[in-house]
Amino acid sequence: MLSAYFSQCVRVCLLCLCLFVCPSSSAWAGQTVGKPTHRAQAPKETAAAPLMRGLRATFWGRLFAGYHISMLGEQDFQEFVMRELQLAVMVDWKDQVGVVARMEVLRSAQPQSLFGIDGDAYVVRLLQAWAFGRLTFGVFEGELRLGLIKDPWIDLLEVGYVLRDLEPMQSQQGEFFFPSDLGASALLRLWGGMVEFRYTLTNGEGTNRAEQNSGKNTTLTLSLRAPSFRLLGRKAVIGLHGLYRDGSQGAARIANHRVAAALTFGMRGYSAGVEFVNATGYRGDGDISADGLSAWLSADVWLDKIGVLARFDRLNSNQSVDNAVQQTITAGLYVNALEPLLGAMFRRFRLYLYYQNITQEENSAPLPGVPAAVSGHRVMLQLAIRTHLSLSR
């Protein structure tokens, strides 16, 4: 009797469940999952949406900091230093038009901390800022830049110059070229960069000064790169670069001309190059002729994690007098064992240990920050971090 009653209750419950589920199933069966039920629910696309899809923002950062021991002349000095901190951003649309801005942090005073801001505090300054436009037609690629543009010679050579983590190239460090100047630059590349020509027109006063005269600096550069080839299973590139600049500087419009040439070689894990610069007009004196020679090499030697480096610099600050040569020999090691673990955002996380031998003759210009030094040694432990992040729509 109880069993029959229980069975009857189960049948009633199942019937009620079927009556509840079936209408709902019929209603859902007439709809496609994931589609809006009427036109008002569809997302509306604004007129600017197609343009926004090609928008991209790219961020770069680099930090070079370490510990230096200097034994120059009769001075022994040890210090923690931040050699460089830079942050840059580029906003472009489909790699065709955009703007670039680069900021850097530096000490607010000259060496010896004279006449700075709040003693010798770190300050932020605008190093470069320009707008650009690019156009590609077959094997031709053109680019126009306008603003506080990067020096064309530095821009050319720094592409494969990995020792920038330690110091700028001799052409910049020796004050033959400045990192940026106000002006415009037109660039033409053929066959993917095998031939590259640049025409640059700038004020000629460099990064730190406004125009002092009505003359403009005209700079021409030409780069020839051999077709890439395979070496040790890696892509290798060889380039030959040349520069001519007709320029003036200061209110007196003194001569500030340059001729330069460089040969570069690069492949993953290996880099080498040599550059020579000759100047007519140097360090604010139009009657002085100077020249600089530099050669560098870096190479991975163990599992792409440990490498060796070397660099030779020779600066003749006045060709018309004797004993005006400053010479620096650099040699060291680097370790980048952490780079594979940090991901694409960290393009470099490298520790350098290197030694410098500096020889300065009696008529050569003083070393920056150490006016009394004639020769000596440096030992440096330096960390180089480079970051990269790209966001696109």
Side-chain angles (χ1 to χ4, degrees):
M1 184 74 179
L2 184 61
S3 175
Y5 178 75
F6 178 76
S7 178
Q8 184 68 25
C9 289
V10 170
R11 285 196 294 269
V12 171
C13 291
L14 290 175
L15 180 60
C16 293
L17 183 61
C18 290
L19 292 174
F20 176 79
V21 172
C22 289
S24 302
S25 301
S26 300
W28 280 102
Q31 299 181 17
T32 302
V33 177
K35 289 187 177 180
T37 57
H38 49 81
R39 204 171 277 182
Q41 291 180 344
K44 294 182 179 180
E45 189 176 75
T46 64
L51 294 176
M52 297 295 288
R53 288 196 194 103
L55 199 62
R56 177 181 61 177
T58 307
F59 304 88
W60 297 274
R62 65 191 194 193
L63 170 67
F64 309 147
Y67 184 72
H68 295 184
I69 302 173
S70 301
M71 296 157 282
L72 300 173
E74 298 181 355
Q75 284 189 329
D76 292 345
F77 197 72
Q78 303 178 25
E79 60 178 333
F80 290 98
V81 296
M82 184 174 71
R83 298 290 293 268
E84 189 171 295
L85 173 60
Q86 289 191 7
L87 299 172
V89 59
M90 177 180 73
V91 179
D92 71 282
W93 181 75
K94 295 186 176 179
D95 204 31
Q96 296 177 7
V97 294
V99 294
V100 177
R102 184 183 297 272
M103 313 292 291
E104 75 169 350
V105 176
L106 72 166
R107 288 291 189 182
S108 59
Q110 295 294 317
Q112 291 87 49
S113 298
L114 300 176
F115 309 109
I117 297 174
D118 189 23
D120 186 9
Y122 284 106
V123 296
V124 179
R125 74 162 175 177
L126 181 66
L127 181 62
Q128 293 148 9
W130 72 81
F132 68 87
R134 298 188 182 119
L135 180 64
T136 302
F137 181 75
V139 299
F140 298 90
E141 179 185 344
E143 181 177 339
L144 180 65
R145 298 179 180 179
L146 178 65
L148 186 60
I149 59 177
K150 193 171 184 178
D151 180 86
W153 185 249
I154 295 174
D155 196 27
L156 274 175
L157 296 194
E158 276 195 351
V159 172
Y161 177 65
V162 297
L163 297 188
R164 183 62 182 84
D165 295 354
L166 307 185
E167 292 175 340
M169 297 181 302
Q170 167 74 354
S171 51
Q172 177 182 341
Q173 191 175 40
E175 300 179 27
F176 292 99
F177 300 98
F178 297 102
S180 59
D181 202 347
L182 285 165
S185 182
L187 181 152
L188 177 64
R189 293 190 185 96
L190 288 79
W191 301 291
M194 291 179 60
V195 179
E196 182 176 316
F197 174 76
R198 301 190 189 200
Y199 174 83
T200 304
L201 196 66
T202 57
N203 283 342
E205 305 298 337
T207 307
N208 301 334
R209 302 182 69 188
E211 179 64 293
Q212 304 295 302
N213 60 68
S214 60
K216 296 293 175 284
N217 280 18
T218 300
T219 304
L220 304 176
T221 66
L222 177 64
S223 294
L224 304 175
R225 299 179 179 89
S228 60
F229 57 95
R230 306 293 293 183
L231 181 63
L232 301 177
R234 303 177 182 184
K235 179 182 176 181
V237 177
I238 295 177
L240 179 64
H241 316 277
L243 172 141
Y244 171 75
R245 185 176 79 187
D246 177 73
S248 63
Q249 191 176 45
R253 201 169 177 173
I254 63 172
N256 194 33
H257 311 310
R258 301 288 184 269
V259 176
L263 178 66
T264 58
F265 167 81
M267 58 185 287
R268 185 171 60 85
Y270 300 87
S271 175
V274 58
E275 71 163 340
F276 175 79
V277 183
N278 187 80
T280 301
Y282 183 64
R283 287 178 174 167
D285 191 333
D287 297 326
I288 289 181
S289 293
D291 62 71
L293 174 68
S294 180
W296 65 88
L297 168 70
S298 69
D300 292 347
V301 295
W302 186 71
L303 299 178
D304 297 338
K305 292 182 173 58
I306 297 178
V308 296
L309 63 94
R311 174 172 151 171
F312 170 81
D313 297 309
R314 183 184 184 275
L315 172 64
N316 186 348
S317 58
N318 193 337
Q319 297 174 356
S320 62
V321 301
D322 296 328
N323 303 321
V325 172
Q326 177 183 313
Q327 182 174 289
T328 304
I329 298 174
T330 304
L333 302 170
Y334 59 83
V335 180
N336 55 2
L338 293 180
E339 284 185 10
L341 306 177
L342 295 176
M345 184 175 174
F346 286 87
R347 289 195 165 179
R348 179 156 299 162
F349 197 96
R350 181 177 289 183
L351 185 65
Y352 294 89
L353 176 62
Y354 61 106
Y355 161 82
Q356 287 186 329
N357 177 270
I358 302 167
T359 303
Q360 183 179 354
E361 296 178 344
E362 56 183 341
N363 292 326
S364 62
L367 287 174
V370 193
V374 290
S375 62
H377 313 273
R378 281 192 184 128
V379 177
M380 290 171 258
L381 181 67
Q382 190 157 303
L383 178 66
I385 301 175
R386 292 177 181 257
T387 62
H388 175 269
L389 177 64
S390 184
L391 304 174
S392 59
R393 294 182 63 90

